[in-house]
Amino acid sequence: MSEANEFAAVTKAFSGLGVDENLFISSLGRWNRYQRESYRVSTPGFFKEDERQFQRWSDHHILQLRQEFLRLKDAVVLYTMHPWERDARLFKEALLLKIPQHDVLIETACTRSSEDLLGARKAYHSLFEHSIEEDIAHHIKAHERKLYALILFYSWGSSKVRFILLVALVSSYRYEGAKVNEDLAKSEAKMFANALAKKTNLIEDEDIVRILSIRSKHHLKAIYSHYKEMTGNFLDEDLDGDLLLKQVVQCLCSPQTYFSKILISSLSLDVEESAKDSVTRVIVTRADENDMKLIKEEFQSKYGSTLAAKIQQVANGSYRDFLLTIIAKSD
């Protein structure tokens, strides 16, 4: 391999999701000091010429590389965790960010079974010695809480003061049987249609929040179907003006659509770190679920490429191989 091609290969090994450890060993490990200097000079994207005449790593790329070297470790640790502990830690990490990650809260709360969500809440108690509801109340500003909380009313003298006490989505214990009251589902689909026709702020509508918080997934899918029959539109598409509610509906009614969209947005070289982390989170948490097969089918249908091919294109080294091994289980 020519020096220019070898330099290009090493640069690719430094780029993308994860790192190509074998290439570092076979190429980078053999270079002498002059070859390493030549590489630094020829790679201005990673190195810059210092005023004191040496090539220095970009601080941004040092931090990025540290994160990429840790990517496999993080995936392995998450994969080997008990699902309850894993989801409890995902909740906590999402809340600790300067801007809490609503999408992770919604995704985790809405795509787990009732037992697994209850288990995650129990694990949260053990790990952090308080409840997920307390942490959401603490970290989410009052005007943002309405998506997550059922509003309870307490009398205070002659007036009623609203206190948001419970987190609706993470507190939900949904019925998981197949039985659906079609008349009720039809009525509630009409409720959505009327609210959207009035262009009201659905997040302020207690009935809408209640339906999304307590109804079974089979029931919500029936609402989704009836809404399409009534309006000719898909409910999640009509919720484009409220991205949080759109995500709730997708996660509850069509998780493969939601997860495919997350993956195509994250499997890219020019996305933020939080987006890159989504690749690990989605693939690891869905690895043992039936919807991984549906996610792969939806991904290929919607984006014209297999999920495996996209991972092969963007990811590197052992991290890439680990992801490919996980998703192959559902073949």
Side-chain angles (χ1 to χ4, degrees):
M1 185 186 296
S2 71
E3 186 174 82
N5 287 340
E6 195 168 33
F7 284 178
V10 169
T11 298
K12 184 179 184 302
F14 275 133
S15 308
L17 299 178
V19 292
D20 190 339
E21 304 90 336
N22 290 333
L23 189 65
F24 293 152
I25 295 168
S26 63
S27 292
L28 187 58
R30 293 186 294 100
W31 292 353
N32 59 41
R33 61 179 296 180
Y34 302 107
Q35 288 172 303
R36 296 198 300 274
E37 180 175 2
S38 179
Y39 177 72
R40 290 193 296 270
V41 171
S42 65
T43 318
F46 287 164
F47 302 91
K48 58 184 180 181
E49 189 70 25
D50 189 85
E51 61 184 9
R52 291 179 174 82
Q53 298 183 327
F54 68 96
Q55 306 84 31
R56 53 183 286 189
W57 265 108
S58 157
D59 290 340
H60 167 74
H61 280 102
I62 290 177
L63 177 60
Q64 184 181 42
L65 272 176
R66 284 175 179 161
Q67 291 168 329
E68 294 307 331
F69 274 103
L70 289 172
R71 199 168 295 284
L72 174 64
K73 183 214 76 171
D74 291 343
V76 169
V77 170
L78 203 62
Y79 188 67
T80 52
M81 276 184 189
H82 191 288
W84 296 359
E85 178 185 2
R86 179 198 65 207
D87 287 344
R89 291 190 183 278
L90 287 174
F91 277 135
K92 187 68 170 179
E93 289 169 11
L95 287 168
L96 286 177
L97 295 173
K98 186 175 181 181
I99 300 177
Q101 284 187 309
H102 298 163
D103 56 336
V104 176
L105 296 176
I106 294 169
E107 173 190 310
T108 308
C110 294
T111 61
R112 305 312 190 244
S113 70
S114 295
E115 282 298 319
D116 279 341
L117 184 55
L118 178 61
R121 291 168 61 207
K122 290 179 180 179
Y124 202 97
H125 294 177
S126 295
L127 293 167
F128 308 115
E129 299 187 333
H130 47 267
S131 70
I132 175 64
E133 293 88 346
E134 289 176 281
D135 269 2
I136 289 180
H138 177 71
H139 290 287
I140 308 292
K141 292 180 180 178
H143 72 275
E144 295 173 312
R145 292 179 198 159
K146 288 187 178 179
L147 177 63
Y148 306 101
L150 286 172
I151 297 177
L152 301 182
F153 295 89
Y154 279 74
S155 294
W156 191 291
S158 60
S159 65
K160 287 183 177 179
V161 180
R162 292 185 175 193
F163 290 94
I164 302 173
L165 296 178
L166 298 176
V167 179
L169 297 175
V170 301
S171 302
S172 180
Y173 191 85
R174 301 176 193 273
Y175 166 66
E176 296 203 329
K179 187 174 181 179
V180 173
N181 183 329
E182 291 292 342
D183 290 337
L184 179 59
K186 201 173 292 186
S187 170
E188 291 177 340
K190 190 170 183 61
M191 194 181 298
F192 274 93
N194 290 339
L196 282 164
K198 293 175 184 175
K199 300 189 182 300
T200 57
N201 187 358
L202 265 66
I203 205 169
E204 300 287 343
D205 190 316
E206 293 172 37
D207 286 330
I208 297 297
V209 173
R210 174 182 55 80
I211 291 166
L212 292 174
S213 303
I214 68 173
R215 296 295 187 222
S216 74
K217 292 177 183 177
H218 285 291
H219 185 97
L220 290 166
K221 288 175 182 178
I223 291 175
Y224 191 87
S225 176
H226 288 307
Y227 183 91
K228 178 69 165 66
E229 292 172 4
M230 291 175 184
T231 66
N233 301 324
F234 291 107
L235 177 56
D236 54 333
E237 292 176 356
D238 279 353
L239 287 169
D240 279 342
D242 194 323
L243 295 181
L244 290 180
L245 286 181
K246 178 185 177 83
Q247 183 190 351
V248 171
V249 169
Q250 284 191 341
C251 285
L252 289 168
C253 299
S254 184
Q256 67 271 22
T257 300
Y258 168 78
F259 285 123
S260 296
K261 182 178 176 183
I262 292 294
L263 287 169
I264 196 64
S265 300
S266 305
L267 285 166
S268 176
L269 300 179
D270 57 351
V271 295
E272 295 180 355
E273 188 60 31
S274 59
K276 291 181 181 179
D277 291 342
S278 299
V279 176
T280 299
R281 185 185 74 249
V282 170
I283 290 178
V284 166
T285 61
R286 309 324 294 161
D288 297 317
E289 305 301 327
N290 294 331
D291 58 358
M292 176 53 79
K293 186 173 187 297
L294 296 176
I295 291 168
K296 293 196 294 186
E297 290 172 355
E298 176 76 10
F299 190 95
Q300 183 166 4
S301 171
K302 200 160 191 176
Y303 305 113
S305 168
T306 65
L307 179 57
K310 190 64 179 175
I311 291 171
Q312 189 81 36
Q313 176 187 342
V314 175
N316 292 319
S318 298
Y319 176 70
R320 174 199 61 214
D321 297 341
F322 188 59
L323 295 184
L324 291 173
T325 300
I326 290 175
I327 68 169
K329 294 196 305 176
S330 61
D331 289 343

